[in-house]
Amino acid sequence: GAGVSQSPSNKVTEKGKDVELRCDPISGHTALYWYRQSLGQGLEFLIYFQGNSAPDKSGLPSDRFSAERTGGSVSTLTIQRTQQEDSAVYLCASSLGLSDTQYFGPGTRLTVL
Amino acid sequence: GEDVEQSLFLSVREGDSSVINCTYTDSSSTYLYWYKQEPGAGLQLLTYIFSNMDMKQDQRLTVLLNKKDKHLSLRIADTQTGDSAIYFCAELNTGGFKTIFGAGTRLFVKA
């Protein structure tokens, strides 16, 4: 059906607040990825989920960042005590399997004031 | 380590051909991708090439792969203003899941 969707499309928050970003992958895709794109930068890998396996959190920049994937489908990326340097576009992607082509959502633009 | 490099900007006139270049370091890459990102949007998969291919053509797009030099290029024929976007080169290596992205090339098309 539809492609990867993300919500909200834009989020403005105050420094120190927590935010939750949501990703709905393509139905049937077992792998789900989160990336961060800072202004003028390339993509920075954050975390991935594959099926029911424990996620690879090696890219998370600090312990303020966490993510979960419920029921092997929807994923939520949570940033606690946001800082101004967290301002970026957060992109989610999914793929059929780990080594398959990734398809991206439109992203959530996070602005921390 | 793995690295993908691209030039940051390219400016062409409408109707000309655009060539966006990319170099990568991982010789075990299996797939190489070109993604397009329009302003305010996510990444859209444009095309990809398997590492045992030299060339792939898809309408106005031609991908050339020089595996020896680890060089990938994307040629857009008859470039239009709607092609203005950021183009990301990416590689998927054999060993794992990670797709490594370049920083993106911003293409400006002048009317």
Side-chain angles (χ1 to χ4, degrees), chain B residues 14-80:
Chain B
E14 190 175 21
D16 287 351
S17 291
S18 308
V19 180
I20 303 172
N21 294 301
C22 168
T23 58
Y24 59 97
T25 57
D26 187 354
S27 58
S28 66
S29 295
T30 51
Y31 286 95
L32 294 128
Y33 303 92
W34 285 103
Y35 285 88
K36 177 182 180 183
Q37 186 179 33
E38 296 183 9
L43 273 68
Q44 169 198 356
L45 179 65
L46 264 188
T47 187
Y48 64 92
I49 189 168
F50 192 55
S51 59
N52 67 355
M53 298 168 63
D54 298 324
M55 185 182 88
K56 181 178 180 181
Q57 186 147 5
D58 183 1
Q59 298 183 337
R60 291 191 297 121
L61 305 179
T62 304
V63 179
L64 293 177
L65 175 61
N66 181 329
K67 199 171 179 182
K68 173 176 170 289
D69 294 338
K70 300 191 187 72
H71 182 267
L72 183 75
S73 68
L74 173 69
R75 180 176 180 269
I76 306 173
D78 187 25
T79 313
Q80 303 298 307

